[in-house]
Amino acid sequence: MRKLVLLAGAAMCWAVPAAAQSGLDGRVGKLESEMRAVQRKVFPGGTPSIEPQITGAPAPEREIGAPATPVIADLTQRVGSLEQQMASMTGQIEQAQYRVRQLEEQFAAYRKEVDARFNSAGPAPGTGGPVESTGATTPAPAVPAPGRKPEASAPAPAAGKDPARAKLVAAIEKPSTAQPDEDDYIYGYRLWAAKLYPEAEAQFRKVVADYPRSRRASYAQNLLGRSYLDDGKPSLASIAFYDNYKKMPDGERAPESLYYLGQALMKLNKPADACKVYGELTDVYGAKIDAAMQANIARARVAAKCK
């Protein structure tokens, strides 16, 4: 009889941990499933799973038949910590997505405003027809506010009509190697460095259109914006920079385009929007920003009076 009582007591001791273990198994399985979903969201390229940073202390050896309550309590605490990490990670992802949506909505409204102002402007004086468009991906410039110098659209290079300019363009050496995308980009860079901006703009648009998957596409789109900016066309520059960030976010010049987007917005007297862009740049590319750009961002934030 005494043996039966002991066996019954032992069975009860083991039944409680088993029931708790069953409940934890369900929570752990759910967490693992959610963690995999979050990892697929954060690392769409298939980056290896993140190893949990929370590890419990090694469980002390115990005699057979001893209650398992400390082990279950430790496991419960670890699962609770994992749930908190999951909630924090999910919140950060949602905040980042919200900021991106805000930026997209602001630029969609800005594009619409630019198009509406241009369409209401009518034909350019003396042309007898509509102003030439700047290309399929670049809307025409906005009608300037009073006191602002009008931004010209991007006409075809006039080198053929101006012998002196044609001579300057002809003096720019065209590279000739086995890499046409590299050659076309370098030629555009040389035109830009020589301050032949209309010709450079046309060349950069050609690089992006002809070699959209080349690493030089990001470079060319960024220098297209730089060329517009140097040519006194901040509206066109802002759109070119934003397109580089939006369409080629992993491109090598996407962070630089975000920085110059802020500069273009400052030229357009939009410091509040520039501050949002600088914040987006730091949030998205913080790990890729070198010391020189960090210093530039800090100065730009001061100039824009960012909070």
Side-chain angles (χ1 to χ4, degrees), residues 38-39 41-42 88-98:
V38 171
Q39 288 174 343
K41 187 79 173 178
V42 179
S88 176
M89 183 182 297
T90 302
Q92 291 174 2
I93 292 173
E94 290 175 349
Q95 290 176 5
Q97 291 175 337
Y98 176 71

Side-chain angles (χ1 to χ4, degrees), residues 22-69:
S22 176
L24 286 173
D25 286 342
R27 292 174 66 191
V28 170
K30 181 180 178 182
L31 283 172
E32 289 177 345
S33 176
E34 292 178 354
M35 181 62 77
R36 284 193 294 269
V38 171
Q39 288 174 343
R40 286 194 298 270
K41 187 79 173 178
V42 179
F43 306 108
T47 302
S49 300
I50 299 175
E51 295 294 335
Q53 298 179 356
I54 301 175
T55 57
E61 295 183 2
R62 58 186 179 84
E63 297 180 2
I64 298 176
T69 303

Side-chain angles (χ1 to χ4, degrees), residues 11-286:
M12 291 177 64
C13 291
W14 283 104
V16 173
Q21 180 69 35
S22 176
L24 286 173
D25 286 342
R27 292 174 66 191
V28 170
K30 181 180 178 182
L31 283 172
E32 289 177 345
S33 176
E34 292 178 354
M35 181 62 77
R36 284 193 294 269
V38 171
Q39 288 174 343
R40 286 194 298 270
K41 187 79 173 178
V42 179
F43 306 108
T47 302
S49 300
I50 299 175
E51 295 294 335
Q53 298 179 356
I54 301 175
T55 57
E61 295 183 2
R62 58 186 179 84
E63 297 180 2
I64 298 176
T69 303
V71 178
I72 298 300
D74 178 66
L75 183 57
T76 301
Q77 182 179 5
R78 292 169 61 188
V79 170
S81 299
L82 184 59
E83 288 175 334
Q84 292 178 357
Q85 282 189 332
M86 173 73 73
S88 176
M89 183 182 297
T90 302
Q92 291 174 2
I93 292 173
E94 290 175 349
Q95 290 176 5
Q97 291 175 337
Y98 176 71
R99 286 196 298 267
V100 171
R101 285 197 300 270
Q102 277 189 318
L103 193 60
E104 289 177 349
E105 290 171 0
Q106 290 167 2
F107 269 86
Y110 176 65
R111 270 182 188 273
K112 186 176 181 180
E113 179 184 356
V114 168
D115 288 340
R117 289 184 176 182
F118 174 69
N119 292 334
S120 64
T127 61
V131 178
E132 185 175 354
S133 172
T134 61
T137 60
T138 308
V143 175
R148 177 181 292 279
K149 182 180 178 181
E151 286 187 23
S153 60
K161 300 179 181 179
D162 185 348
R165 189 172 187 86
K167 186 176 181 180
L168 292 174
V169 173
I172 304 300
E173 181 182 0
K174 292 185 178 181
S176 180
T177 68
Q179 293 181 281
D181 58 335
E182 189 78 9
D183 291 346
D184 284 356
Y185 167 73
I186 294 299
Y187 179 56
Y189 176 84
R190 291 174 179 176
L191 290 168
W192 171 69
K195 299 184 179 181
L196 298 170
Y197 297 127
E199 293 79 8
E201 291 155 12
Q203 184 67 17
F204 290 136
R205 289 195 299 271
K206 178 180 183 298
V207 173
V208 175
D210 291 351
Y211 313 103
R213 296 187 179 182
S214 169
R215 63 185 289 262
R216 287 306 189 185
S218 177
Y219 283 77
Q221 185 69 27
N222 180 65
L223 279 187
L224 175 61
R226 293 283 301 275
S227 184
Y228 283 140
L229 197 59
D230 294 342
D231 202 16
K233 305 170 184 175
S235 293
L236 293 176
S238 66
I239 295 172
F241 290 133
Y242 178 70
D243 282 346
N244 198 27
Y245 168 61
K246 177 64 177 176
K247 297 178 181 179
M248 294 175 277
D250 296 325
E252 295 177 46
R253 286 297 181 265
E256 186 174 334
S257 284
L258 264 187
Y259 169 74
Y260 280 105
L261 171 57
Q263 299 292 291
L265 290 170
M266 289 295 291
K267 294 283 187 182
L268 294 168
N269 296 320
K270 295 179 179 289
D273 291 338
C275 289
K276 293 178 182 179
V277 169
Y278 296 140
E280 184 78 5
L281 171 58
T282 302
D283 291 342
V284 176
Y285 298 109

